[in-house]
Amino acid sequence: MKNLLTILFFFALSTLFSQNEKLFDRLQAIENNGLTFYEVDGINISSQTLNYKFTDKKLKKVYRKYSIKNKDKKTVDTTLKYKNYYVSKTDLITENLTQNSSYYFLESKDKRTTIIQFGSINKKDKEFERKIVELVMENKIPQKCYNSLVIYNINFVGRKIKLGNNCHWQNVNNVQCPYNGQMNWSVHKDLKDAENTIEQQFEITKSKKGGKVISEEIVEIEFEGTETKAKKVIYDFTGITSVLVSMSGGKTLTIYYVASEVRDNYVSCVLSFWNNDTITKNGLAPLLEEVMKLKQ
């Protein structure tokens, strides 16, 4: 009986380790001035520890910092081993898209207050959130998941791409290279989730009031060596005054929405460039050519 329990224990540990490794293959992070940002499965996560004791009086200041109001329901998640309060919010982006936000206010090991925030569209997984909370609180996210603030190369789904230091992060897995294009991506646990994320991002683009979609078509591409299809969209800013337009100097933005399998991973990716960016003879900006080709 003792031997059987030992076998079951090590089997459980092995399964948990394997699950974590798969998660760490998808998870990417960036640290910046005391804030850590994470991205996985199309979910945006952030964590921060503030120099406030975990008391009701001090928490009121923390709530204000995170725009948590008195009317917002605060509950205790009894499954977590840390003192905590939990807040959940939903906001309607469009008729079909709902922004889900979760806030975990937790007591850290040094008796300060740690805040872990989750943002996702049209999905919510409480067990996943608890898993991330534990990994963050126990400092169990491996160094391989973290990216340098200064970009010399990026980890694109397990392949390092050299970019030099002219590019910069807009967010985790979101890189912009002036006059050479921009792309953001996420690694998902299955293709359906990647496809859903792409459709959601396209709907968000269509709902923006700063311009309009003037063309939309499906095109054949090669994405990281795999033949697939992409949604190509031309977004027009003509006559629009905005910070984005004034910074770029462009009038139209060409956007490709891709969901594909890449090296046994499932990826959603949005790639774009302005009409006045550098365009190669193949019709793409240089950054986009690092990962995709147009099929003739």
Side-chain angles (χ1 to χ4, degrees):
M1 184 65 178
K2 183 178 179 181
N3 288 339
L4 177 59
L5 290 175
T6 302
I7 291 171
L8 291 174
F9 174 74
F10 281 107
F11 176 76
L13 279 182
S14 176
T15 302
L16 181 61
F17 179 79
S18 177
Q19 290 174 345
N20 282 346
E21 280 304 301
K22 288 179 180 179
L23 172 62
F24 297 149
D25 286 341
R26 306 195 306 274
L27 179 68
Q28 291 288 288
I30 295 175
E31 290 181 315
N32 186 16
N33 293 326
L35 264 169
T36 305
F37 301 92
Y38 312 86
E39 204 285 339
V40 61
D41 297 342
I43 302 169
N44 292 303
I45 309 163
S46 68
S47 70
Q48 180 181 30
T49 297
L50 298 176
N51 196 25
Y52 290 111
K53 290 185 177 180
F54 195 80
T55 64
D56 289 340
K57 182 179 179 180
K58 295 295 184 181
L59 281 171
K60 288 179 181 178
K61 296 181 179 181
V62 179
Y63 293 150
R64 284 196 294 270
K65 180 178 177 66
Y66 280 82
S67 301
I68 304 298
K69 301 177 181 177
N70 290 334
K71 67 178 182 179
D72 293 325
K73 186 178 180 181
K74 303 166 189 69
T75 60
V76 175
D77 189 335
T78 57
T79 67
L80 295 173
K81 61 183 179 181
Y82 322 96
K83 287 184 180 179
N84 73 88
Y85 288 104
Y86 167 76
V87 177
S88 178
K89 288 186 176 186
T90 59
D91 295 290
L92 201 63
I93 302 175
T94 71
E95 184 180 344
N96 300 313
L97 300 180
T98 299
Q99 172 76 38
N100 295 304
S101 300
S102 296
Y103 303 82
Y104 292 81
F105 301 90
L106 309 115
E107 185 178 52
S108 65
K109 292 179 179 179
D110 58 0
K111 305 300 181 182
R112 294 190 296 164
T113 299
T114 296
I115 307 95
I116 303 176
Q117 181 179 355
F118 296 81
S120 58
I121 296 176
N122 284 10
K123 61 182 178 182
K124 187 176 179 67
D125 187 339
K126 196 74 180 292
E127 285 305 314
F128 171 81
E129 292 177 359
R130 289 167 176 153
K131 182 184 186 71
I132 294 294
V133 165
E134 182 178 359
L135 290 171
V136 171
M137 294 296 285
E138 300 298 325
N139 196 27
K140 288 183 177 179
I141 296 176
Q143 197 59 40
K144 71 174 186 177
C145 295
Y146 289 86
N147 296 276
S148 170
L149 275 176
V150 179
I151 297 179
Y152 296 105
N153 56 62
I154 59 173
N155 175 8
F156 188 76
V157 201
R159 179 172 76 91
K160 282 194 174 182
I161 301 176
K162 291 183 179 180
L163 295 180
N165 58 4
N166 189 41
C167 304
H168 53 268
W169 295 113
Q170 297 289 87
N171 204 334
V172 184
N173 287 356
N174 187 337
V175 64
Q176 198 268 339
C177 303
Y179 298 103
N180 285 329
Q182 180 173 344
M183 67 179 186
N184 69 77
W185 69 96
S186 185
V187 184
H188 302 258
K189 56 187 175 184
D190 57 55
L191 184 58
K192 184 63 177 175
D193 195 43
E195 292 172 340
N196 288 341
T197 297
I198 284 301
E199 288 303 317
Q200 291 160 5
Q201 292 189 330
F202 175 54
E203 186 161 342
I204 290 172
T205 299
K206 289 194 298 182
S207 70
K208 290 183 182 297
K209 301 185 184 304
K212 61 182 178 180
V213 173
I214 58 174
S215 74
E216 173 189 343
E217 63 177 319
I218 302 298
V219 297
E220 301 280 345
I221 68 166
E222 185 179 302
F223 187 73
E224 286 292 272
T226 299
E227 292 188 2
T228 186
K229 298 178 187 295
K231 187 189 293 288
K232 178 185 178 182
V233 170
I234 307 295
Y235 194 78
D236 185 34
F237 289 90
T238 303
I240 302 297
T241 302
S242 73
V243 174
L244 185 63
V245 173
S246 63
M247 287 177 63
S248 69
K251 293 296 183 182
T252 61
L253 193 66
T254 299
I255 313 169
Y256 292 90
Y257 298 85
V258 185
S260 177
E261 183 175 354
V262 175
R263 293 182 285 277
D264 297 321
N265 293 286
Y266 303 99
V267 183
S268 62
C269 190
V270 180
L271 311 100
S272 62
F273 58 89
W274 290 94
N275 61 292
N276 63 337
D277 281 353
T278 301
I279 311 296
T280 71
K281 63 180 181 180
N282 297 316
L284 295 172
L287 177 62
L288 278 65
E289 282 202 331
E290 293 286 348
V291 298
M292 67 174 280
K293 298 177 183 177
L294 297 173
K295 302 290 286 185
Q296 301 299 327

